[in-house]
Amino acid sequence: MQRCWTTRRASTASRSTPEQIRISAADIAAHAAAAPNSVRDALVQAAERIEAFHRRLMPADLDYRDDVGVRLGARWRPLDAVGLYVPGGTAAYPSTVLMNAIPARVAGVQRVAMVVPTPDGALDPAVMAASEIAGVTEIYRVGGAQAVAALAHGTETIAPVDKIVGPGNAYVAAAKRLVFGTVGIDMIAGPSEILVVADGANEPAWIGADLLSQAEHDEDAQAILITNDSAFATQSWRRHGAVIVVRSLDEAPALINRLAPEHLELAVDEPLPLAEAVTSAGAIFLGRHTPEAIGDYVAGPNHVLPTARSARFSSGSRRWISSSARPSSAATPRASRKSARRP
């Protein structure tokens, strides 16, 4: 404990008073205004697409009478309060704010309490801008396992919530596991994963970049390529991840379902027949011009997805109510370029 007090990062939080832990509306607005216009425009575009998709994902109530006259039904209702964990110790994640807060707003959640670590007390303008766009006004300068505990059990400063969502490091994941039962959680998220199925007609540098898009997140991240072209395999992925060479891409679905990846790219001419055979994947990206990064930011479906083969039995799309859906995305070359122009 004494060591924690002497570290620069921990001392910033330890010297905060209860009044300073909650970020004021004025501070949110001031730091959000500091975000470059191009960044804010990109966040607005992403927010609009995320909201549009999740509105279409809302389930309908059920109400009917059976053949003996008994009235039966099911109602979908939002949670009262949700805690949103946004990482911030080593990098800023404004997309995480949008991907978690906007579905809560669409579902009708009345209270969203956000926690985010602020090393040296600094607030990231893009994260504050994303919070403003998503309508999050209750934000606290706290991170790590202690933030999860505060959201679950409550403190004098932070009222408890009903469910905690959002990614974090191994300590955050362990804390969410411990508080499950006291509150609900979205999932126990592990290191990120991507599996790309590609034939030899692809540009190797593009596929290599897609594999790196997740491998760069964490040294334990998993990046796998399945291809029917051994020469293409060598060009795309020399040093990291794994390459599986199959005799035919018809063999790919069985491997995909066994691996149950978080992100699945089908970079082939006709991706739909392959996608129809996939039963276990967090999100599917269809065609050569739909990189996984589009899903991370602007496609619309949620980017908080099941890892560690948990896509066999769960999905990250509709955590606010209920879900068994497998989101998919497909983009044309023109649409990909249009999205890429927005940072």
Side-chain angles (χ1 to χ4, degrees), residues 28-37 40 125 128-129 132:
I28 295 172
H31 285 83
N37 289 337
R40 189 175 187 89
M128 293 299 103
E132 192 173 72

Side-chain angles (χ1 to χ4, degrees), residues 1-289:
M1 179 63 72
Q2 185 59 39
R3 286 183 205 161
C4 289
W5 277 71
T6 59
T7 62
R8 180 175 61 180
R9 184 171 297 169
S11 65
T12 300
S14 67
R15 288 198 294 263
S16 296
T17 66
E19 294 75 19
Q20 292 170 325
I21 288 176
R22 179 158 181 175
I23 301 172
S24 69
D27 277 347
I28 295 172
H31 285 83
N37 289 337
S38 59
V39 171
R40 189 175 187 89
D41 290 346
L43 291 171
V44 168
Q45 181 197 28
E48 290 171 349
R49 295 186 60 83
I50 294 164
E51 180 169 348
F53 179 85
H54 285 83
R55 287 200 180 281
R56 288 171 171 81
L57 206 59
M58 288 288 288
D61 288 351
L62 177 67
D63 188 348
Y64 74 100
R65 290 189 183 275
D66 66 13
D67 54 3
V68 296
V70 177
R71 186 179 180 183
L72 303 168
R75 297 191 307 168
W76 298 91
R77 293 296 180 266
L79 302 176
D80 290 331
V82 169
L84 165 55
Y85 188 95
V86 177
T90 58
Y93 295 92
S95 60
T96 295
V97 179
L98 300 181
M99 290 287 182
N100 285 278
I102 290 175
R105 185 179 71 194
V106 168
V109 175
Q110 293 299 303
R111 174 180 169 237
V112 176
M114 179 174 131
V115 292
V116 57
T118 55
D120 300 323
L123 297 174
D124 183 79
V127 170
M128 293 299 103
S131 303
E132 192 173 72
I133 291 165
V136 180
T137 59
E138 184 181 344
I139 308 176
Y140 300 95
R141 304 170 178 270
V142 58
Q146 60 270 30
V148 175
L151 290 171
H153 300 290
T155 70
E156 293 181 5
T157 307
I158 303 174
V161 299
D162 301 313
K163 189 168 188 176
I164 300 173
V165 301
N169 61 20
Y171 296 102
V172 171
K176 287 169 69 176
R177 187 189 300 273
L178 286 172
V179 301
F180 176 64
T182 300
V183 293
I185 61 171
D186 50 355
M187 64 184 74
I188 305 295
S192 191
E193 308 157 357
I194 185 169
L195 192 160
V196 178
V197 178
D199 56 27
N202 286 279
E203 171 58 52
W206 291 9
I207 301 301
D210 289 351
L211 291 164
L212 278 171
S213 71
Q214 297 306 305
E216 68 180 1
H217 285 197
D218 189 293
E219 62 182 15
D220 294 322
Q222 183 181 84
I224 298 174
L225 169 67
I226 295 177
T227 182
N228 59 349
D229 188 320
S230 56
F232 179 78
T234 303
Q235 289 177 292
S236 296
W237 205 232
R238 295 178 183 273
R239 296 182 59 189
H240 303 288
V243 177
I244 301 172
V245 179
V246 293
R247 287 166 296 190
S248 165
L249 291 183
D250 292 337
E251 298 175 343
L255 291 169
I256 294 166
N257 293 331
R258 180 81 178 269
L259 293 165
E262 178 188 14
H263 305 98
L264 171 64
E265 281 189 27
L266 300 178
V268 295
D269 282 333
E270 298 294 335
L272 283 175
L274 280 177
E276 288 296 323
V278 174
T279 59
S280 300
I284 305 174
F285 302 87
L286 306 175
R288 305 187 196 281
H289 300 282

